[in-house]
Amino acid sequence: MSIPEPPSGEFSALARSRFQSSQRLAYVSAVVLVLAALAIRLCLPASIGERPMLLLFLFPVIVSALFGGLGPGLLATLMAAMVSNFQLLPPYRSLAIAGPYDVVQWTLLIGNGVLISLLSEFLLRTRQRENAHWQQLLDARDQLQVSQTLFQTTFEQAAIGICLLAPDGRWLKANRQFCEIVGYSLEELLSSNFSDITYWEDFGDLSQMPTGEGEIDSFSGDKRFIHKNGSVVWIRLSASVARKPDGSPACFILLMENIEQREQALLALHESEMALKVAQRLAALGSWEWDLRTGESKWSEQIYSLFGRAPHLPPAGYDEVGRYFKPESWQRLQAAVAQACSDGLPYECEVELQNDGELHRWVVARGEAVRDEQANIVALHGTVQDVTPRKQAELALQEAQRAALEKQREARLAALNLMEDALAARKALEAANASLRESEEFKRAILDSVSANIAVLNRDGVIVSVNRPWQQFAEDDALACGQSADICSIGTNYLQICQQASGPYRQGSQAVFNGLSAVLEGRLPRFRYEYACHSAQKQRWFAMVVTPLGFGEGGAVVSHTNITERKLAEMALVESEERLRLAQSTANIGIWDWHIDNDKVQWTPELETMFGYAPGAFSGDYSAFSQRVHPDDLAELEHFRDSAVAAHRTFDFDFRVQAEPGRFRWLNCKGGASYDDMGRAQRVFGVCIDITERKNTENELKLWAQAFENAEFGLAIADAQSNLFLAVNPVFAKERGYAREELIGKPVMTVYPADWVEQIKQQINILDSTCHGVFEAEHQRKDGSRFPVMIDVTIIKSGDGKPIRRVAYALDISERKAAEVELREQTEALQRFNRAMVGREMDMIALKQTINELSGQLGQERPYPLAFIEQAGTNPVGNVPG
């Protein structure tokens, strides 16, 4: 049987509106029906005109009382008593009553009216209480449905994997995210065991999680799972135990977050940093940054090595850096830096460092300006490269040239002074020429040994000399491009080659043409340009430097240095930093680093956002962190962190921060510390993950569980496939005389009598297709007693439309059934009373007629006006029902 259900949100208003309408109608009907009864009585034939027929007025009273309760019933009773006394009972048109029998009838009319009104009021209030109870049940059902829907939606749509695990390792339930993490479908996962997909080295830790009563109910750590394709997946696992009332584990709740990308990003970042360090070390190249606003500097490890500064010291200040350079070199470098700070032009200076024993070192210092959004120069960054071997080769070349010139001078002096000794002069000249040839060969050997590609141009841009690396590169490049090897050989006009270049490198060639022309014409003292020159097999970058020749007819020296390794290292560093920033922003992870000695704290922008600071607004001291932590969590946080640092352990804890007034956010903090040789902590560092949504979900789950446990009516959840109880609340079990553990896992038919089983199975088949239904049935207690119930069932289906759960609440309606039986009995008693009153009325009329006849025979006046009966010729005694 299906009971039609009004919308629960409108039930109370609908019931109230109907009650008010019935009240108004009942008052109106009390007046109208009494007047109608009076009109009917007055329209009866004159033969019964002397009989009041007060029984007619019970109908208006009954109708008004049943529809309106006590008020309309008493109004109808009062009006019936007044109109019957005034119009029907002698003396007429008066409120006095002459005959004692009429007084009895009139009194009985009033008594019946009052009794009927009271009884109707009782029935009406009972019905109102029943409606209110129905309203409570419907509201509770709606809340349960909403809670169930929210729980199911949260479980399925959670951004992390959530699953339920039985104590024996069976999967009970898993959401979509967890299935994606391990690569299995839900059906495949439910048919497997926990140990089937757990990495064998981590299985021991998970299987030994404490489950006894009174032990810790949670576990957290990074573990590995085996993907369906056989690969290993790193996850962040948080497990907790849900216990039964007796303390034994009911199931495990597992929360899993895929950290594979984070691990790969950290590994890639570490590898890229190591590659950059190796590249800088091999290239003898160090990088630096200088913030003009704060004066702070950052040095790479190679800078410390080049300057001979201890690595544990902070970077030297601007004034302190000057002591590492020769005074004249420092003056030139200062001028270039000042020019970059004022005009923003990049610079490149070849400077000499202070003597380190007998070793002279030269470096090339490069730098360029960094501008903010308003185009203001706020910082400088650049590199320092050790060019000592190249510089030594250049000095050796200059020394050889000087020695050759000195020998030529000496030879000329000897020829002038010893003219008489021509033979000796000739021999000296031959010796000088031989020495000169040797110096030329020495210079050529030096140029050929340099790794850079070097060419000498005359003032017209024609190549007059090249070293071996230049020639070799030209031959290799021409072979790869299918061109002639003479395109950049001696005698070629290099300016025309740059001017006539086409294709993707046209813009760069034009810049080289302009810079080279400026150097040849004396408009520019030095020109440097970095460019890409990729081949079909690999990527290549070169740095071109053009310097003028300071003697003879002019010209320039063009050198091309392969900087591919440096460029690849810089690109790898940029990519690794971008990947790290992307990983932090995507996973909502912030990184922090606290230097204990100077109490300085460094945060990433993601962490500043978590704590409610604008990017760059964090002051960098510990107080700016502590004042945003929830006061109730700060002391425990510091104790937990300091204890872990003192014990040389990592830490992992949750705490709250107040990012906005009145609004708190939950963070999970993981980290550790680095120590000096004495074991004292120098730095404390770690990451923070925003877990606000996870905390809110846990609180909502607790509220739903409390609502289920504390509901005032019976609730039960059953498996749609096995038809077994999965959960029942205390009220459901107590009403049926069971403990909750006795029903969980038992068939649903346990609480139904045997004669109801087939009917309930048919009802379940109907419910599985309609998803919802309400019906009445009987339940059987543990002691065998039975009681009536009203059951409201909601079906929960899977994505493919199959029923998986049945959620029902059962209401004991014994009191309502008893009230219905009592109402039927009272109605039958009233009907018997009415029949008895009608019979007595007819007997009284017959008695009055007999008295009138006897009075007529005795010649006396008839005491009762029954002329209407005599005129009709009706025998009232014959009409009285037997």
Side-chain angles (χ1 to χ4, degrees):
M1 176 174 73
S2 177
I3 299 177
E5 175 191 357
S8 60
E10 302 175 1
F11 186 88
S12 178
L14 179 62
R16 190 181 305 107
S17 176
R18 288 181 177 177
F19 175 73
Q20 293 174 354
S21 299
S22 63
Q23 281 284 94
R24 291 192 294 268
L25 181 61
Y27 280 107
V28 174
S29 64
V31 177
V32 174
L33 291 178
V34 170
L35 296 177
L38 177 62
I40 293 172
R41 174 62 187 83
L42 295 177
C43 292
L44 289 176
S47 60
I48 59 173
E50 295 181 357
R51 299 180 181 180
M53 296 293 289
L54 300 183
L55 185 63
L56 289 174
F57 294 97
L58 284 178
F59 176 73
V61 174
I62 293 174
V63 173
S64 301
L66 287 178
F67 280 99
L70 182 61
L74 292 179
L75 177 61
T77 302
L78 178 61
M79 289 195 63
M82 293 179 64
V83 300
S84 63
N85 187 2
F86 190 77
Q87 290 287 345
L88 302 179
L89 297 179
Y92 303 112
R93 308 294 191 275
S94 173
L95 295 179
I97 303 176
Y101 181 71
D102 291 337
V103 174
V104 173
Q105 289 190 83
W106 188 73
T107 305
L108 290 174
L109 173 63
I110 295 175
N112 286 336
V114 173
L115 180 62
I116 292 172
S117 299
L118 292 173
L119 180 60
S120 298
E121 179 68 18
F122 170 74
L123 295 177
L124 183 62
R125 291 185 180 276
T126 301
R127 185 173 61 185
Q128 291 177 349
R129 287 195 299 270
E130 186 70 19
N131 289 339
H133 190 56
W134 268 95
Q135 174 64 24
Q136 293 178 356
L137 294 179
L138 291 174
D139 291 342
R141 187 200 66 190
D142 291 343
Q143 293 177 1
L144 181 61
Q145 289 177 347
V146 172
S147 298
Q148 181 67 22
T149 303
L150 289 175
F151 169 76
Q152 189 68 23
T153 303
T154 303
F155 184 86
E156 291 297 336
Q157 302 299 327
I160 61 175
I162 307 175
C163 59
L164 302 180
L165 184 68
D168 58 358
R170 292 180 298 103
W171 299 102
L172 299 177
K173 191 173 183 180
N175 67 347
R176 174 183 53 81
Q177 183 66 21
F178 178 68
C179 294
E180 293 179 358
I181 291 175
V182 297
Y184 291 90
S185 64
L186 182 60
E187 292 75 11
E188 294 173 338
L189 198 62
L190 295 179
S191 62
S192 64
N193 193 278
F194 177 77
S195 60
D196 296 339
I197 65 172
T198 307
Y199 195 70
W200 63 274
E201 291 184 357
D202 298 341
F203 178 71
D205 296 339
L206 298 176
S207 61
Q208 296 173 5
M209 189 173 71
T211 58
E213 184 176 2
E215 296 181 348
I216 298 176
D217 291 342
S218 63
F219 171 83
S220 179
D222 294 344
K223 300 298 175 184
R224 288 166 290 182
F225 272 59
I226 301 176
H227 196 272
K228 184 178 180 180
N229 58 16
S231 62
V232 176
V233 180
W234 276 97
I235 63 169
R236 179 62 179 175
L237 175 63
S238 298
S240 59
V241 182
R243 299 186 181 278
K244 299 178 180 179
D246 60 357
S248 60
C251 66
F252 297 97
I253 303 173
L254 305 182
L255 303 178
M256 305 184 184
E257 179 183 359
N258 192 341
I259 59 173
E260 185 69 19
Q261 294 182 352
R262 188 192 73 185
E263 293 292 334
Q264 293 178 355
L266 293 177
L267 181 59
L269 176 62
H270 177 71
E271 292 177 351
S272 65
E273 290 177 350
M274 294 302 297
L276 177 62
K277 290 180 180 179
V278 172
Q280 289 186 347
R281 179 174 55 81
L282 295 177
L285 178 71
S287 59
W288 56 269
E289 295 180 10
W290 180 28
D291 192 330
L292 299 178
R293 295 168 298 185
T294 62
E296 294 183 355
S297 301
K298 293 182 180 179
W299 287 3
S300 66
E301 292 182 2
Q302 194 63 26
I303 295 285
Y304 284 92
S305 177
L306 290 175
F307 289 166
R309 187 178 178 87
H312 67 274
L313 296 177
Y318 181 69
D319 295 334
E320 187 181 358
V321 170
R323 68 183 182 86
Y324 292 107
F325 296 91
K326 290 290 185 69
E328 62 278 6
S329 296
W330 177 240
Q331 291 178 0
R332 288 190 289 108
L333 183 59
Q334 277 185 314
V337 171
Q339 185 72 20
C341 293
S342 61
D343 300 337
L345 296 177
Y347 66 86
E348 179 177 334
C349 292
E350 188 176 278
V351 292
E352 184 178 1
L353 300 180
Q354 292 281 9
N355 290 341
D356 185 9
E358 299 298 328
L359 178 63
H360 295 268
R361 300 180 67 89
W362 287 267
V363 295
V364 174
R366 303 180 181 91
E368 60 182 16
V370 178
R371 299 180 183 269
D372 58 10
E373 297 178 353
Q374 290 75 30
N376 297 322
I377 300 175
V378 296
L380 295 179
H381 63 184
T383 60
V384 177
Q385 185 176 12
D386 187 355
V387 294
T388 301
R390 178 175 65 84
K391 190 65 176 178
Q392 289 176 343
E394 293 178 356
L395 293 177
L397 178 60
Q398 294 176 1
E399 181 63 24
Q401 292 175 342
R402 188 191 63 77
L405 292 175
E406 182 66 22
K407 289 182 178 180
Q408 289 179 352
R409 185 180 64 81
E410 293 177 354
R412 286 196 297 271
L413 291 176
L416 292 175
N417 294 329
L418 302 174
M419 289 292 295
E420 65 283 2
D421 195 355
L423 183 59
R426 185 184 305 171
K427 290 182 179 179
L429 180 60
E430 291 177 356
N433 290 334
S435 176
L436 180 60
R437 285 194 299 271
E438 290 177 359
S439 69
E440 292 291 339
E441 293 175 357
F442 179 68
K443 289 188 291 183
R444 170 60 62 180
I446 292 176
L447 287 175
D448 290 341
S449 65
V450 176
S451 60
N453 305 329
I454 300 176
V456 181
L457 311 182
N458 62 15
R459 61 185 305 171
D460 297 326
V462 177
I463 300 176
V464 297
S465 178
V466 297
N467 68 344
R468 186 178 300 278
W470 177 287
Q471 188 65 34
Q472 186 65 42
F473 180 81
E475 294 175 357
D476 295 342
D477 195 52
L479 180 63
C481 299
Q483 299 177 349
S484 172
D486 298 334
I487 189 171
C488 288
S489 60
I490 297 175
T492 304
N493 193 312
Y494 195 72
L495 276 177
Q496 293 180 359
I497 294 176
C498 296
Q499 187 178 21
Q500 297 172 2
S502 60
Y505 301 118
R506 175 175 177 77
Q507 184 176 2
S509 298
Q510 188 63 37
V512 172
F513 173 80
N514 295 334
L516 182 56
S517 299
V519 173
L520 290 174
E521 296 172 1
R523 292 183 287 106
L524 191 67
R526 183 184 182 90
F527 173 72
R528 175 180 174 82
Y529 182 75
E530 293 185 0
Y531 63 95
C533 183
H534 305 317
S535 65
Q537 293 79 19
K538 61 181 179 179
Q539 292 181 318
R540 299 176 303 185
W541 285 267
F542 291 88
M544 177 182 182
V545 179
V546 180
T547 55
L549 286 175
F551 58 89
E553 296 181 354
V557 177
V558 179
S559 66
H560 296 263
T561 304
N562 193 324
I563 58 172
T564 302
E565 291 184 357
R566 193 198 80 194
K567 281 290 185 180
L568 292 176
E570 292 175 353
M571 293 171 60
L573 178 60
V574 172
E575 291 176 358
S576 66
E577 292 176 350
E578 291 178 351
R579 287 195 297 269
L580 178 59
R581 286 194 294 269
L582 178 61
Q584 292 177 8
S585 60
T586 303
N588 205 6
I589 298 175
I591 301 176
W592 57 271
D593 193 345
W594 176 29
H595 295 264
I596 300 177
D597 294 339
N598 55 14
D599 197 29
K600 289 296 182 181
V601 184
Q602 294 178 347
W603 281 3
T604 60
E606 290 78 12
L607 193 59
E608 290 181 319
T609 302
M610 293 181 190
F611 276 76
Y613 289 107
F618 178 62
S619 61
D621 52 14
Y622 185 78
S623 61
F625 156 77
S626 60
Q627 67 183 5
R628 291 296 176 97
V629 179
H630 194 286
D632 296 341
D633 296 347
L634 181 59
E636 183 178 0
L637 177 153
E638 292 178 339
H639 173 72
F640 194 91
R641 180 200 61 207
D642 295 343
S643 299
V645 171
H648 288 219
R649 292 184 289 102
T650 60
F651 49 83
D652 185 346
F653 52 82
D654 299 340
F655 64 96
R656 293 166 292 175
V657 298
Q658 187 172 7
E660 299 176 7
R663 183 179 178 183
F664 293 95
R665 178 177 292 171
W666 278 96
L667 301 182
N668 172 255
C669 182
K670 303 178 180 66
S674 63
Y675 306 88
D676 57 14
D677 297 338
M678 302 298 294
R680 292 173 298 187
Q682 292 181 321
R683 293 170 48 240
V684 183
F685 49 85
V687 298
C688 289
I689 306 174
D690 191 337
I691 59 170
T692 305
E693 293 184 2
R694 190 190 78 189
K695 285 290 185 179
N696 292 338
T697 302
E698 292 176 356
N699 294 333
E700 289 178 2
L701 291 175
K702 292 179 181 178
L703 290 176
W704 294 337
Q706 292 175 359
F708 181 81
E709 294 293 328
N710 300 321
E712 296 182 356
F713 45 84
L715 291 171
I717 302 175
D719 183 78
Q721 303 299 323
S722 62
N723 210 26
L724 301 177
F725 282 117
L726 297 178
V728 296
N729 70 341
V731 174
F732 186 91
K734 183 177 180 181
E735 287 180 346
R736 287 145 189 82
Y738 290 93
R740 295 175 64 184
E741 294 75 14
E742 295 178 309
L743 288 179
I744 295 175
K746 297 296 189 299
V748 174
M749 297 305 169
T750 303
V751 298
Y752 288 97
D755 54 345
W756 275 85
V757 172
E758 292 301 325
Q759 183 177 351
I760 296 302
K761 289 181 178 179
Q762 297 175 2
Q763 188 68 41
I764 289 176
N765 293 332
I766 297 174
L767 290 174
D768 288 344
S769 61
T770 60
C771 298
H772 179 261
V774 182
F775 60 91
E776 292 185 2
E778 285 190 357
H779 276 186
Q780 181 173 301
R781 297 185 178 91
K782 186 177 181 180
D783 59 6
S785 60
R786 301 162 67 158
F787 62 96
V789 292
M790 183 196 70
I791 303 176
D792 187 309
V793 182
T794 300
I795 307 300
I796 300 175
K797 295 186 177 182
S798 60
D800 55 0
K802 294 182 180 179
I804 56 175
R805 298 286 185 273
R806 299 189 186 98
V807 181
Y809 74 84
L811 177 65
D812 186 351
I813 57 174
S814 301
E815 293 182 0
R816 195 188 77 183
K817 289 291 185 181
E820 291 176 355
V821 172
E822 183 180 358
L823 179 60
R824 286 196 299 269
E825 292 176 352
Q826 291 177 355
T827 303
E828 292 175 358
L830 180 60
Q831 292 175 352
R832 291 194 299 270
F833 175 75
N834 289 336
R835 287 196 297 270
M837 291 300 297
V838 172
R840 290 183 61 186
E841 181 71 20
M842 300 306 295
D843 291 340
M844 292 298 294
I845 293 174
L847 179 59
K848 288 181 180 181
Q849 189 175 15
T850 302
I851 294 173
N852 286 344
E853 291 175 356
L854 292 176
S855 298
Q857 293 175 4
L858 295 174
Q860 297 180 0
E861 184 181 357
R862 296 181 178 184
Y864 300 105
L866 301 176
F868 68 94
I869 297 178
E870 295 173 356
Q871 293 174 2
T874 304
N875 182 8
V877 178
N879 293 333
V880 176

